[in-house]
Each structure stands twice: as structure tokens, then as C-alpha cells.
Amino acid sequence: FDNLVKIWDVETGAEVCTMVGVSGWVKTAEFSPDGKWIVSGSSDTPEWIYKHVTIWDTETGAVVRTLMGHSDDIFSVAFSADGKRVVSGSKDRTVKIWDAATGALVRTIGHTGEGRCLCKTWDRGGDAGCPVGGHRGEVKAVAISPAGNLVASGGGYRDNLVKVWDANSGAEVCTLAGHTSSVTWVAFSDDA
């Protein structure tokens, strides 16, 4: 647990680049489709009010932007197929969709922490007012469909559900039940 993001050459095993600047354990990381960026999620030190999603430049190792808005550890991150969006899932029971180029929060899907669930759209200036059924526990896995129109999230402890959301409206499309433990990975087929 060295609080670093590292890139390794898979053929030689040599370290290519080390990204420094995370103040807590890096729990998840993923390359952008073009390989120019890496997005990571962490569990930063307690003095931080919000946890960080960080986008890194893979050539220089520099921080491109820091996305703040989760209130607890970030367990999963993913890029959309076109690299324009980042989705993150957190222990705070929310899924957030971000604009990768600007770092703006596009939408929050999930639980408010006040016993109710909501869909929030910040680029419209406030709550969109569409109630959704969020996860009962932490969000351990996220994925964006190849077309970018759907987001899947996998629930952790006390939840064990897969939820599929409309990425544009935040509406819940369906809930898939049946897992007996935390869902730690979700993915869409290429034709989704």
C-alpha cells in the first residue's frame, strides 16, 4: 500500500512510469481507450472530506485532473468506450458520471445518505427529480456500455445486486438479483 499508480511493460516487466500524488490507498485504476490517460480511485486519508477520482497522463505521470464528490472510498472506475466519460462507484452508495475532459460532474445515481435515493444532474443546476432505487450498501463495481447509454453497478456487502441505469436520465433500467456475496466486477457485452 504505497499510494502510487504504476505502469509496467508487460513484456519486460520493467516499470515505465510512476504516478505520485494520491494520499491514500489506490483501490482501482483503468486505462482510457486510447491509452493516454489512467483513471484511479482511492481511499484518501481521513482529513479529506471527499475522496478522489484522479485522471493521470500516462506519458508524464502528471495529474490531469482530480474529480471530487464522493464522500467515502472509491472501489471502481471505468472510462466510456469513446473516452469522454468516467464512471465511479463508492462506499458512499453512489455511482457518479463525470466529463473526462473538464472534470465536471454530469450525474450522481444512488443514495443520498438521508434514507432516500435520487438522481442528480449538476450540469442542469440541481436535482433532476427522478427517484431511483439505489444500492443498500457500497458500490463495488461499475461499467459503461459500449454505446455509453447504460451504466451497470455491482453492490457490495448487504446488497449483492447488479443494477443497470440509463446514463442520460439516471433512471433505473433493471435490477439483477441472485448473487450471494458482493458483486466485485460488472461488464457489458460488445453489442450492449
Side-chain angles (χ1 to χ4, degrees):
F1 301 108
D2 56 9
N3 304 344
L4 301 172
V5 176
K6 294 186 177 198
I7 300 175
W8 303 88
D9 184 304
V10 294
E11 292 183 15
T12 67
E15 184 179 320
V16 175
C17 184
T18 298
M19 287 99 165
V20 179
V22 178
S23 60
W25 294 348
V26 177
K27 298 207 175 233
T28 180
E30 184 176 308
F31 280 96
S32 63
D34 63 9
K36 293 181 180 178
W37 289 345
I38 289 178
V39 61
S40 67
S42 64
S43 60
D44 293 315
T45 56
E47 59 266 13
W48 288 97
I49 296 172
Y50 295 106
K51 307 308 178 183
H52 294 88
V53 174
T54 306
I55 298 176
W56 307 86
D57 183 298
T58 58
E59 288 188 27
T60 66
V63 173
V64 175
R65 66 193 39 84
T66 301
L67 314 176
M68 296 179 64
H70 282 293
S71 62
D72 215 328
D73 298 354
I74 297 148
F75 291 122
S76 186
V77 292
F79 272 101
S80 60
D82 62 8
K84 293 181 179 180
R85 296 277 191 254
V86 168
V87 63
S88 56
S90 171
K91 189 175 182 180
D92 66 11
R93 301 190 279 178
T94 65
V95 174
K96 294 186 181 290
I97 302 172
W98 311 86
D99 183 301
T102 67
L105 179 63
V106 175
R107 181 169 309 288
T108 297
I109 302 170
H111 205 278
T112 65
E114 299 170 353
R116 64 187 185 94
C117 297
L118 60 77
C119 161
K120 189 163 156 183
T121 309
W122 286 11
D123 60 353
R124 290 187 187 165
D127 291 351
C130 50
V132 296
H135 287 280
R136 294 184 302 260
E138 59 206 17
V139 177
K140 297 288 268 185
V142 292
I144 303 176
S145 67
N149 60 326
L150 298 172
V151 172
S153 57
Y157 177 68
R158 293 189 309 256
D159 186 78
N160 309 337
L161 299 172
V162 173
K163 291 185 175 278
V164 180
W165 311 91
D166 182 299
N168 297 314
S169 71
E172 184 177 331
V173 175
C174 67
T175 296
L176 307 171
H179 291 279
T180 58
S181 189
S182 296
V183 178
T184 59
W185 191 262
V186 292
F188 284 96
S189 65
D190 291 337
D191 60 352

